[in-house]
Amino acid sequence: MTDHIAFSVDKQALLLLDQRFLPDREECFVCRNTADMIYALQTMVVRGAPAIGVTAAYGCYLAARESAEAGPAWKDRLNTLLTELEQARPTAVNLRWAVERMRAQWAALPAASLDELLSTWLGLAQDMHSEDIEICKAIGRHGADLIADGDTILTHCNAGALATAGYGTALGVIRAAFEQGKRIQVIADETRPFLQGARLTAYELAKEGIPVTVACDNAVGHLMKRGMVQKVVVGADRIAANGDAANKIGTYTVALAAKAHGVPFYVAAPASTFDLRIASGDEIPIEDRTPREVTHIGEHRITPENVPVYNYAFDVTPAELIAGIVTERGVLTAPYVASIRAIIGGK
């Protein structure tokens, strides 16, 4: 599954599989400018830290095309559009990482014309796209060694091909273990309120013939107590320098249950998801999304009018609950400050 993010040279547009409608139907969302890109990111047409990064790279290219409307002032206009794009979502660090990588390429070509920059940026975005698939496959190879034949792996949210350019991080580990011939089962938390596990993880795995069962989020402790879970593997949207990991809301609860029942809890993420500028998870900004995601299922309201809700999109799992962080460069273990510095370094 790699065609859910596709750039059309003929249309000069980014074509995204609209994840809001899965698994009911497969529709394409077309991004032609910065406003389209920001809308797609904020409404979760596309989601998942690596996928956000790849999408943002193409967004920079589309922003550069859009900046031509400003004539001689195109550089100022482009800088403004890049800032708007970079701020579209606060938690996933891959968004900032992608924009900064594109900016760095621009800074290395100070005399470049807009046409020259467009050509360079499209090539870089395409490189980042293909790089991410290979990174995910490397994560899968490293992580598969942690999975035993006969394991049932629980995962939260969707850290699969849909959350990346292809193959996935947490689901990359699962895919690689399955491809090795290991007889595994997967439990996908439904992941309220956006139901990424029930809708997207189950969709991906069922499509590929990997055995998957959906469980409601609050069944995790019960499943572990009954010995039905041998490993937990999740993705991450940002990892601090000390190994604290931000992921979809509910992940922290899963980690606590895993610790209580002696179930190894692993995080799978690329080097680009590490934010070495922050010392701990306390500094990670947590997105607070629209209440409607909690108050409604589809068009049907499920809470009383005028009752407030909490809809934090992410939580932070402390490093001490994490048995290992699987990256494309190997599996990091505690003490994480030292292992992250040694393996991730300056990325």
Side-chain angles (χ1 to χ4, degrees):
M1 183 181 293
T2 58
D3 58 354
H4 56 290
I5 302 173
F7 187 81
S8 170
V9 174
D10 292 339
K11 296 180 179 179
Q12 286 295 292
L14 185 65
L15 311 180
L16 299 172
L17 175 62
D18 196 329
Q19 297 185 31
R20 296 173 298 177
F21 302 132
L22 294 174
D24 291 339
R25 62 186 190 272
E26 297 182 358
E27 286 190 10
C28 181
F29 183 89
V30 181
C31 295
R32 293 187 172 87
N33 53 41
T34 307
D36 291 342
M37 296 296 302
I38 291 173
Y39 178 85
L41 291 167
Q42 292 182 339
T43 62
M44 301 215 286
V45 169
V46 62
R47 24 68 52 205
I52 287 172
V54 171
T55 298
Y58 286 114
C60 292
Y61 170 80
L62 293 176
R65 279 180 53 83
E66 187 178 351
S67 72
E69 300 169 0
W74 69 269
K75 291 184 180 180
D76 291 338
R77 177 60 177 155
L78 179 54
N79 270 314
T80 298
L81 292 173
L82 294 180
T83 299
E84 291 174 0
L85 179 63
E86 187 176 8
Q87 295 174 349
R89 292 195 68 184
T91 303
V93 74
N94 296 63
L95 175 55
R96 186 188 74 196
W97 166 82
V99 175
E100 288 182 349
R101 186 168 172 184
M102 301 296 273
R103 282 188 183 275
Q105 184 77 354
W106 185 13
L109 302 167
S113 67
L114 179 55
D115 285 341
E116 290 169 337
L117 182 64
L118 284 167
S119 177
T120 299
W121 269 7
L122 181 56
L124 180 55
Q126 291 169 331
D127 288 346
M128 292 166 69
H129 192 158
S130 58
E131 283 171 11
D132 187 68
I133 297 172
E134 294 309 310
I135 285 169
C136 287
K137 290 180 177 179
I139 290 171
R141 288 193 296 272
H142 289 298
D145 293 338
L146 302 171
I147 307 301
D149 189 32
D151 273 354
T152 294
I153 305 109
L154 185 141
T155 190
H156 190 73
C157 195
N158 171 261
L162 291 168
T164 65
Y167 204 74
T169 53
L171 293 197
V173 171
I174 290 167
R175 278 191 173 90
F178 184 77
E179 289 166 2
Q180 290 176 355
K182 293 176 180 174
R183 294 163 297 178
I184 59 173
Q185 303 275 336
V186 180
I187 297 174
D189 282 350
E190 60 176 353
T191 320
R192 282 279 293 151
F194 211 68
L195 301 174
Q196 293 97 323
R199 295 189 304 106
L200 306 180
T201 293
Y203 165 83
E204 280 195 42
L205 295 179
K207 200 168 186 176
E208 297 189 22
I210 300 175
V212 59
T213 301
V214 174
C216 59
D217 295 344
N218 48 14
V220 169
H222 178 68
L223 296 172
M224 291 181 181
K225 186 176 181 180
R226 295 187 66 178
M228 297 170 67
V229 179
Q230 283 71 55
K231 306 280 168 55
V232 175
V233 185
V234 301
D237 287 80
R238 189 181 302 213
I239 301 174
N242 71 339
D244 292 349
N247 193 49
K248 185 53 55 186
I249 192 74
T251 304
Y252 178 35
T253 306
V254 174
L256 289 169
K259 184 72 170 180
H261 293 90
V263 176
F265 178 97
Y266 295 102
V267 172
S272 57
T273 298
F274 287 78
D275 186 355
L276 304 187
R277 301 178 192 180
I278 59 174
S280 76
D282 293 339
E283 300 175 56
I284 297 175
I286 301 298
E287 182 178 3
D288 190 359
R289 292 183 59 79
T290 171
R292 186 180 174 86
E293 291 176 355
V294 176
T295 61
H296 289 69
I297 294 180
E299 297 302 314
H300 180 69
R301 172 177 280 277
I302 61 171
T303 64
E305 292 275 5
N306 303 318
V307 173
V309 302
Y310 293 117
N311 189 20
Y312 295 111
F314 303 92
D315 56 26
V316 176
T317 298
E320 58 264 27
L321 299 179
I322 300 172
I325 303 175
V326 187
T327 77
E328 70 270 31
R329 303 175 190 178
V331 181
L332 311 184
T333 55
Y336 287 111
V337 171
S339 61
I340 289 171
R341 185 185 302 119
I343 302 300
I344 303 301
K347 298 191 182 182

